[in-house]
Amino acid sequence: MRSITNSDSVVESLPKLEIMDGNGSWADITDRLYSVSLNDSLNADSASVTLQLRNQPDKWVTGSTNANLDPLDVNSNYFINNEPLLGYYHDVKLSVSKDDGSTYDIIFQGYAGPGTVEVSTSVKRDDTITFTPCDLSFPYKEYHFYDSLKYSNASATSIMSQIFADRGFNQTVTVIDEPDFHVEDITTGQTNVWAAQKSLIAPTGFIYRIK
C-alpha cells in the first residue's frame, strides 16, 4: 500500500501532476487540472486515473504563449523534440499533499501515449482535454513472446523475477508476503510477461499487482 503523510487527517488534499517532456524534464501542469478520477480495487493490476485538463484557447493557446496540450499542435511549447507532452510514453506522476504542500506522496504512476487523449472544444471556449494514462504494467503486457522457456524446481516468486531478467527487463518482483508456492515444472510461451507471471501466482490466491 502507498503511504500518505497525514492520511487520516480530514484536511484539504492538494494534487500535483507532473509529466516528463521531450527534453527529459518534469513539466508541472498542476494548474491545468480540472478534475481527477482515481479508481482502484484488489482485482485490478494497478490503480487507474482519468484526468480532465483545462485547455481554454483564450488563456492557454492564443496569444504570445502557446501552451496547448493538444498532442496534434506541433507549434505548442509542449511539443518538444517532435514529441507532444501527452504522448511518446512520457512518464506521468500524480501526487497528493495533506500537509499544505510540504510533502507530496505519489498516488499514481504511468505513461502518457498508450492511454487515451480526447480533446473537447466548446462554443463557450472552455475547452478541455480528457487524459487517461496507462499504468506501469503496460510494458510487460505489451511484451509478447513466442519462444518457450522452461523453469523447474523453484519458488513461484523467484521464477516471476527470472522471467523479467530473461526478457530483458531490469526489474524484480517485490514479495510482501511470501506464498511459499513451489513449482516443479512450467513452460512459458505464446504469452506476455505480465500474464506469464500472473499464471504462476494465481493458484495461491495471492495478488500480483503494481504497488
Side-chain angles (χ1 to χ4, degrees), residues 23-211:
N23 280 331
S25 301
W26 287 107
D28 186 338
I29 59 170
T30 305
D31 58 344
R32 306 291 288 271
L33 271 177
Y34 181 75
S35 69
V36 176
S37 178
L38 181 71
N39 298 286
D40 202 357
S41 73
L42 286 177
N43 295 323
D45 292 331
S46 169
S48 62
V49 67
T50 298
L51 307 168
Q52 194 173 25
L53 308 173
R54 297 180 176 91
N55 205 48
Q56 297 98 322
D58 294 343
K59 185 173 183 179
W60 305 108
V61 181
T62 59
S64 58
T65 301
N66 181 0
N68 193 357
L69 291 173
D70 186 340
L72 298 180
D73 187 353
V74 298
N75 295 314
S76 171
N77 291 336
Y78 285 124
F79 195 90
I80 301 173
N81 291 328
N82 294 318
E83 298 180 7
L85 185 67
L86 303 183
Y88 276 76
Y89 299 90
H90 288 165
D91 291 348
V92 176
K93 289 191 304 185
L94 178 65
S95 307
V96 67
S97 173
K98 297 194 71 175
D99 58 3
D100 206 24
S102 297
T103 305
Y104 281 89
D105 299 296
I106 297 173
I107 57 174
F108 176 85
Q109 287 180 280
Y111 305 100
T116 60
V117 178
E118 298 179 359
V119 180
S120 300
T121 58
S122 168
V123 294
K124 297 181 180 180
R125 304 184 70 79
D126 54 353
D127 299 359
T128 60
I129 290 180
T130 302
F131 172 45
T132 305
C134 66
D135 64 63
L136 293 177
S137 68
F138 178 82
Y140 316 129
K141 293 175 179 175
E142 286 294 294
Y143 192 102
H144 286 260
F145 56 91
Y146 298 93
D147 55 315
S148 298
L149 288 177
K150 183 177 180 180
Y151 301 91
S152 303
N153 195 28
S155 69
T157 51
S158 65
I159 295 175
M160 291 165 72
S161 288
Q162 188 60 46
I163 290 174
F164 272 138
D166 291 340
R167 299 303 168 182
F169 290 101
N170 184 23
Q171 184 63 272
T172 57
V173 174
T174 300
V175 181
I176 297 176
D177 189 6
E178 174 62 63
D180 292 323
F181 184 61
H182 188 82
V183 178
E184 291 292 336
D185 289 292
I186 187 170
T187 301
T188 63
Q190 299 187 24
T191 186
N192 63 64
V193 168
W194 189 259
Q197 292 172 319
K198 291 199 76 169
S199 68
L200 282 160
I201 206 69
T204 70
F206 281 67
I207 295 171
Y208 178 53
R209 56 165 292 151
I210 299 295
K211 184 178 178 181

Side-chain angles (χ1 to χ4, degrees), residues 14-30:
L14 303 177
K16 177 186 285 188
L17 176 61
E18 299 170 282
I19 303 177
M20 190 76 72
D21 65 21
N23 280 331
S25 301
W26 287 107
D28 186 338
I29 59 170
T30 305

